[in-house]
């Protein structure tokens, strides 16, 4: 189904074989993408609650900031014993210069830590696995975790191995979806309805190419940035 049929706000172009050159690029990146996805899956099965929370904080930091700087900030907070117990003021002081809007994001770290604490212990996995599917978990996170929209919630769930069927619709992905005719143009803003509609259209494009949605998402990111990171 075309985006224009699903959402009156959008107007997609038909997919008629466009984008098949992506398969050549995928052949190059496939081993790296598969290894990264396997790593994400292992996190869900084996990682501590603290490791999962680190991924959440990373996704809280990334809006309008560089991913590598954000991860370095997370590691710094861990090294200084602030991530799991520091107050917002101390966290803000440490991430200033690495993460934009450091005061707001520091407060969100503390709020998220409280949300994902049960009986005095971090409980990220129990919160997430209580939902019937990844989409339901994402919608809850986008509502309950201040600073996480659908994009950041999708990013977090992907990074902990729960991203099947979810797309991370950042500017790199949207630009490529417009380039390959999946959407008519990059939207200036994304309502929930529009996000879900574009995600569905992207899933159709992935199916046409014979790729898992998460692999297409990461492939388009690689195409723009030249690397696989987080």
């Amino acid at each position: 189904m075309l985006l224009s049929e699903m959402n009156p706000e959008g107007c997609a172009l038909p997919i008629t074989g466009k984008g098949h050159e992506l398969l050549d690029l995928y052949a190059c990146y496939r081993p790296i993408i598969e290894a990264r996805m396997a790593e994400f899956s292992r996190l869900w099965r084996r990682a501590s609650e603290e490791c999962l929370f680190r991924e959440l904080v990373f996704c809280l930091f990334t809006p309008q900031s560089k991913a590598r700087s954000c991860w370095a900030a997370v590691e710094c907070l861990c090294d200084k014993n602030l991530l799991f117990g520091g107050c917002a003021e101390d966290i803000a002081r440490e991430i200033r210069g690495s993460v934009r809007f450091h005061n707001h994001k520091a407060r969100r770290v503390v709020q998220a830590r409280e949300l994902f604490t049960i009986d005095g212990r971090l409980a990220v996995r129990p919160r997430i696995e209580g939902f019937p599917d990844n989409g339901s978990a994402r919608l809850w996170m986008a509502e309950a975790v201040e600073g996480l929209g659908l994009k950041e919630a999708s990013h977090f769930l992907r990074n902990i191995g729960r991203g099947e069927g979810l797309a991370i619709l950042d500017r790199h992905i949207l630009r490529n979806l417009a380039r390959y005719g999946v959407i008519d143009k990059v939207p200036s803003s994304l309502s929930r309805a529009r996000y879900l509609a574009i995600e569905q259209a992207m899933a159709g494009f992935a199916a046409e190419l014979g790729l898992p949605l998460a692999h297409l998402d990461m492939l388009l990111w690689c195409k723009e940035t030249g690397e696989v990171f987080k």
Side-chain angles (χ1 to χ4, degrees):
M1 184 178 293
L2 300 181
L3 176 59
S4 56
E5 297 171 359
M6 294 183 291
N7 177 9
E9 296 177 340
C11 181
L13 300 175
I15 299 171
T16 56
K18 286 187 177 182
H20 284 277
E21 67 272 17
L22 287 172
L23 294 177
D24 291 334
L25 186 63
Y26 182 64
C28 297
Y29 277 109
R30 181 174 181 172
I32 302 172
I33 291 174
E34 288 182 339
R36 202 74 176 102
M37 293 300 175
E39 182 180 344
F40 294 149
S41 296
R42 284 193 297 272
L43 273 180
W44 179 253
R45 297 193 308 269
R46 305 175 186 175
S48 67
E49 296 299 321
E50 287 76 15
C51 286
L52 298 180
F53 187 71
R54 288 172 67 187
E55 297 292 340
L56 175 59
V57 173
F58 168 71
C59 293
L60 280 170
F61 284 172
T62 53
Q64 300 188 52
S65 296
K66 294 181 179 179
R68 290 192 176 275
S69 296
C70 291
W71 188 245
V74 171
E75 292 182 319
C76 178
L77 292 176
C78 289
D79 291 342
K80 298 195 174 183
N81 298 314
L82 293 174
L83 191 63
F84 308 113
C87 65
E89 290 77 12
D90 290 341
I91 292 172
R93 188 179 306 113
E94 289 299 326
I95 66 175
R96 183 174 184 175
S98 300
V99 177
R100 294 194 66 192
F101 311 114
H102 56 281
N103 289 322
H104 289 301
K105 292 180 180 180
R107 287 195 294 272
R108 289 167 179 170
V109 170
V110 174
Q111 291 167 349
R113 193 169 62 207
E114 293 171 352
L115 178 65
F116 284 94
T117 295
I118 300 175
D119 296 330
R121 298 173 64 94
L122 274 174
V124 179
R125 191 178 281 104
R127 288 283 196 198
I128 300 302
E129 65 187 0
F131 292 93
D133 53 60
N134 298 338
S136 299
R138 176 178 64 178
L139 290 177
W140 173 77
M141 292 195 69
E143 293 177 354
V145 183
E146 185 176 350
L148 280 191
L150 291 177
K151 180 186 75 174
E152 292 79 24
S154 300
H155 193 180
F156 166 66
L157 290 168
R158 195 279 308 275
N159 282 12
I160 64 167
R162 293 296 300 267
E164 184 177 356
L166 307 180
I168 306 165
L169 298 181
D170 69 358
R171 66 185 185 280
H172 299 302
I173 305 303
L174 291 168
R175 189 158 51 235
N176 275 278
L177 293 180
R179 183 174 298 145
Y180 292 110
V182 182
I183 56 177
D184 64 335
K185 63 180 180 179
V186 176
S188 58
S189 62
L190 282 176
S191 65
R192 175 178 294 185
R194 182 176 287 187
Y195 191 105
L196 296 177
I198 292 175
E199 181 179 69
Q200 187 175 346
M202 183 176 172
F205 184 47
E208 180 185 331
L209 295 175
L211 304 181
L213 176 59
H215 285 218
L216 176 60
D217 197 303
M218 187 165 280
L219 177 65
L220 295 179
W221 170 267
C222 294
K223 178 177 177 292
E224 288 294 303
T225 66
E227 67 172 348
V228 176
F229 183 48
K230 279 186 169 293

